[in-house]
Amino acid sequence: NFRVGVHIADVTHFMHPGTPLDVEASTRATSVYLPDRRIDMLPRLLTTDVCSLRCDGKPRLTFSCVMELNKDAKVIKSYFCKAIIKSRAALSYAQAQEMLDDPSIEGEVAASVRQLNELAKARRKKRIANGALELASEEVKFEVDTETLQPTEVIKYESVEANKLIEEYML
């Protein structure tokens, strides 16, 4: 069997109800992504450092879902918990996709990415067979003029197999 952990940063350790930080975050409700910038719900120190799950050898606080999957990708058991993790890698979608596409890339991380992908494909196939909807919409990104900060081009974002791998575990 396989143990799979899905982790998100635990910002509640740093935010407490009723504090100015909590009030401001509640007002913003979410981070907003614009063509030339992003407006974070939380201060940059939290979003880019303290609550980042990046691979820097530091322990990071998370909310986690830990699942045991059998070889057929069936969830045998699962639980939710607060945890402390140390990321072994911080991959872009392109890096993960390269590991899926190029069998000559070796190492524990590449092997794990490939195994997670096989399990994700099996889970997706079962979900679709059981009538799950696939709500796919095209994403776009903008090229922005560095002087005027005006969008100059709209580019269709191509979703790759690595995107689907992450999406499956987030479900």
Side-chain angles (χ1 to χ4, degrees):
N1 288 352
F2 304 94
R3 191 172 92 167
V4 177
V6 178
H7 311 282
I8 61 170
D10 178 7
V11 298
T12 64
H13 182 79
F14 304 97
M15 294 184 58
H16 303 285
T19 61
L21 182 59
D22 178 52
V23 171
E24 180 64 23
S26 296
T27 301
R28 293 184 183 197
T30 188
S31 296
V32 177
Y33 296 85
L34 301 170
D36 62 331
R37 69 188 178 283
R38 112 181 160 213
I39 303 166
D40 290 320
M41 181 175 83
L42 301 171
R44 191 169 278 302
L45 176 64
L46 286 179
T47 60
T48 62
D49 184 19
V50 177
C51 294
S52 169
L53 300 184
R54 62 185 167 177
C55 181
D56 60 4
K58 294 180 183 175
R60 300 297 179 157
L61 303 173
T62 67
F63 280 118
S64 300
C65 174
V66 181
M67 300 169 278
E68 181 181 341
L69 280 67
N70 69 13
K71 64 180 176 51
D72 299 318
K74 181 180 180 189
V75 176
I76 303 302
K77 63 181 175 182
S78 65
Y79 61 93
F80 294 87
C81 62
K82 286 190 173 197
I84 300 172
I85 67 166
K86 283 187 184 178
S87 297
R88 287 191 225 161
L91 304 175
S92 66
Y93 286 113
Q95 290 169 315
Q97 188 62 46
E98 187 176 0
M99 290 176 178
L100 295 174
D101 293 339
D102 186 352
S104 70
I105 299 174
E106 297 178 355
E108 184 181 353
V109 172
S112 293
V113 168
R114 290 185 193 105
Q115 183 62 64
L116 286 167
N117 193 50
E118 290 307 310
L119 293 167
K121 288 193 298 189
R123 292 192 54 75
R124 186 177 320 110
K125 184 177 179 180
K126 286 179 190 175
R127 278 190 319 97
I128 300 303
N130 288 332
L133 293 175
E134 282 202 84
L135 302 174
S137 60
E138 291 185 3
E139 291 184 43
V140 295
K141 65 181 188 177
F142 297 89
E143 290 291 326
V144 177
D145 184 283
T146 55
E147 291 180 18
T148 65
L149 300 179
Q150 294 297 309
T152 57
E153 189 175 358
V154 178
I155 301 167
K156 180 181 168 190
Y157 179 80
E158 295 294 332
S159 182
V160 293
E161 194 172 2
N163 295 86
K164 292 178 181 161
L165 184 163
I166 298 302
E167 290 167 7
E168 193 61 36
Y169 289 106
M170 293 307 288
L171 286 172

